[in-house]
Amino acid sequence: MSSRRNFLQTLGTAALTLPSIPTAFAAAVNSEPYQGPVLRVALMGLGGYAGLVARGLESCQRAKLVGLISGTPSKIKSWSQKYNIPEKNCYNYENFDAIKDNKDIDVVYVITPNALHHGQVIRVAKAGKHVICEKPMALNAREGQEMVEACRNAKVKLLVGYRMHFEANTLEIVRMRQAGELGQIRFFQGLSGFRIGDPGQWRLTKNLAGGGALMDIGVYAINGSRYMVGEEPVWVTAQETKTDPQKFKPGVDETIQFQLGFPGGAVASCLSTYSMNNLDRFFLNGDKGFAELQPATGYGPIRGRTNKGELALPHVVHQTKQMEEMAAIILDNKKPVIPVDGEEGLKDLKIIDAIYQAVKSGKKLSLNL
Ligand code: NAD
């Protein structure tokens, strides 16, 4: 492990101009087989994103897919064959509380539609297992608070699937900012969007999604503004526009612009939308210099530049990197550079609540995170 890490670190610092390296190549460099503890993961919700996580887990050393939770028996059958999962580690949404008696599962990764996260995370916590929950952690801050408390009471860890918190180019900008290389931060721009297709999908159904683009993709700009500026915002304003009220029903936002103010004087100007493709850009400016990422939050490779030059640290599959790091957080109590715990998810939910409130009232609202 350490030889692989050293190799990646050495390569990382030297490779500002190198193309991305495949994970398999990076893994192949490790000559000694890893013998230490492994985080044993069960996935809940076997949809599109769970597929990426399952594939990412295949290249992990310290995390392994060992269990499945799904309401669709045919998916359990095909996934358990593909990933070699024993029947005793497969559950459905009715019986998964029994996971508490399963000694072979450490953590459940909840990857279901947003509205289900709250109840499912609390059930997993009550079963005594650690939980990783996809973003957005819940529909609102009240739900998020209840999830944080349930996990605290059950003495299990709650992590949010913020994969960008482990991405090398993102972390390099955070390092530059912390080292003062950008000077006093004055401005952040976060643009997050894509054109959504099928109007019948859960992402466009208020009851399952909890909203629209803001819940799904705008959360990247919200979360990004916090880790790029490096402070918690103290006020918010927001404006909504809708070009297609047929597709985007009441309560499902198509486009929201929002602005955040930070205690150090920085402002963030952000856009969240379901009606523009290839909108994925972060731009940070301090009084000494700038750093930008474009694409900033896609599945990679992430690319960027600063006033000092190009940023192109090697691409590692985000889900592999995230799960390796989350294994270290859960197994070794490692502290990540940018937090990924339930409190972090809760802060984003408080901002989401305030953005929706600001859209309705047209007012500038104070935030107390
Ligand atoms: P998806 O529609 O592809 O999969 C959702 C899964 O949940 C399906 O397997 C579906 O069968 C299951 N499900 C269980 N109960 C359901 C119900 N009542 N209604 C509908 N589906 C139900 O969605 P996805 O893209 O995998 O998104 C799942 C979660 O992952 C969302 O919270 C989303 O925001 C998040 N996500 C995160 C990332 C990331 O990069 N971190 C990327 C995509 C999605």
Side-chain angles (χ1 to χ4, degrees):
M1 183 67 191
S2 72
S3 60
R4 177 187 173 206
R5 203 177 267 155
N6 291 344
F7 169 79
L8 287 173
Q9 276 170 359
T10 312
L11 188 65
T13 43
L16 290 173
T17 52
L18 278 184
S20 60
I21 52 166
T23 312
F25 173 64
V29 173
N30 178 35
S31 48
E32 302 151 30
Y34 174 70
Q35 304 278 341
V38 166
L39 185 73
R40 297 160 308 169
V41 183
L43 296 183
M44 180 183 295
L46 305 181
Y49 193 63
L52 292 186
V53 173
R55 278 199 288 286
L57 278 164
E58 286 185 299
S59 309
C60 283
Q61 273 191 319
R62 298 198 73 198
K64 186 175 187 304
L65 178 58
V66 301
L68 303 170
I69 301 152
S70 168
T72 314
S74 59
K75 278 195 209 165
I76 291 277
K77 191 166 174 232
S78 58
W79 280 59
S80 57
Q81 277 168 0
K82 183 168 180 191
Y83 294 104
N84 203 16
I85 310 291
E87 201 181 332
K88 71 169 191 60
N89 288 359
C90 295
Y91 299 85
N92 59 41
Y93 293 111
E94 281 73 50
N95 69 13
F96 76 77
D97 309 272
I99 214 162
K100 74 174 189 306
D101 299 319
N102 192 326
K103 302 260 177 303
D104 297 330
I105 294 173
D106 302 309
V107 61
V108 176
Y109 194 157
V110 175
I111 319 185
T112 52
N114 308 341
L116 308 180
H117 295 175
H118 171 254
Q120 290 169 339
V121 165
I122 291 175
R123 276 174 72 187
V124 172
K126 285 188 174 155
K129 301 294 178 185
H130 300 296
V131 204
I132 305 170
C133 179
E134 256 318 315
K135 44 60 55 181
M137 191 172 89
L139 298 191
N140 52 53
R142 180 191 53 76
E143 284 191 356
Q145 185 70 48
E146 288 170 4
M147 293 155 79
V148 167
E149 280 164 19
C151 291
R152 191 183 297 134
N153 291 341
K155 298 189 172 44
V156 296
K157 287 202 164 90
L158 169 58
L159 307 181
V160 186
Y162 287 133
R163 63 189 157 76
M164 301 318 297
H165 291 205
F166 306 108
E167 195 280 319
N169 296 285
T170 305
L171 289 172
E172 171 59 10
I173 294 179
V174 170
R175 186 206 61 73
M176 288 177 74
R177 187 204 71 230
Q178 286 173 338
E181 293 173 28
L182 304 175
Q184 176 73 34
I185 299 301
R186 300 287 190 214
F187 181 71
F188 172 75
Q189 185 188 43
L191 308 177
S192 301
F194 66 93
R195 255 190 98 172
I196 197 157
D198 175 15
Q201 64 186 288
W202 68 260
R203 282 184 164 79
L204 294 174
T205 308
K206 164 86 173 154
N207 287 349
L208 284 170
L214 189 70
M215 300 299 290
D216 189 38
I217 191 77
V219 71
Y220 285 98
I222 293 171
N223 186 248
S225 71
R226 296 177 44 238
Y227 63 69
M228 295 292 269
V229 173
E231 295 175 17
E232 300 301 354
V234 289
W235 58 257
V236 60
T237 54
Q239 311 81 36
E240 180 176 9
T241 49
K242 205 172 263 198
T243 64
D244 188 347
Q246 270 305 103
K247 188 168 181 179
F248 304 102
K249 300 274 186 299
V252 178
D253 49 285
E254 176 186 346
T255 301
I256 293 181
Q257 282 194 73
F258 57 93
Q259 301 78 37
L260 300 165
F262 294 84
V267 285
S269 174
C270 301
L271 184 74
S272 154
T273 185
Y274 264 160
S275 60
M276 281 174 244
N277 265 347
N278 295 304
L279 186 71
D280 182 16
R281 180 170 190 262
F282 283 2
F283 180 84
L284 184 71
N285 224 123
D287 59 13
K288 283 196 202 157
F290 78 89
E292 71 177 353
L293 293 171
Q294 186 174 19
T297 66
Y299 296 140
I302 301 301
R303 288 287 175 264
R305 67 194 176 104
T306 76
N307 51 289
K308 293 183 176 165
E310 295 295 311
L311 274 181
L313 288 161
H315 173 67
V316 178
V317 173
H318 291 179
Q319 294 77 15
T320 301
K321 178 80 176 148
Q322 175 196 322
M323 293 310 295
E324 288 283 36
E325 292 292 332
M326 287 191 167
I329 292 169
I330 293 172
L331 297 172
D332 313 335
N333 271 321
K334 183 178 174 185
K335 288 245 168 305
V337 175
I338 312 171
V340 284
D341 54 22
E343 297 287 349
E344 180 80 5
L346 179 57
K347 285 177 184 168
D348 289 334
L349 292 173
K350 287 180 179 171
I351 299 174
I352 287 175
D353 284 356
I355 289 174
Y356 283 132
Q357 240 182 299
V359 161
K360 276 202 189 119
S361 69
K363 292 195 173 131
K364 179 173 174 178
L365 301 178
S366 295
L367 287 166
N368 189 5
L369 302 186

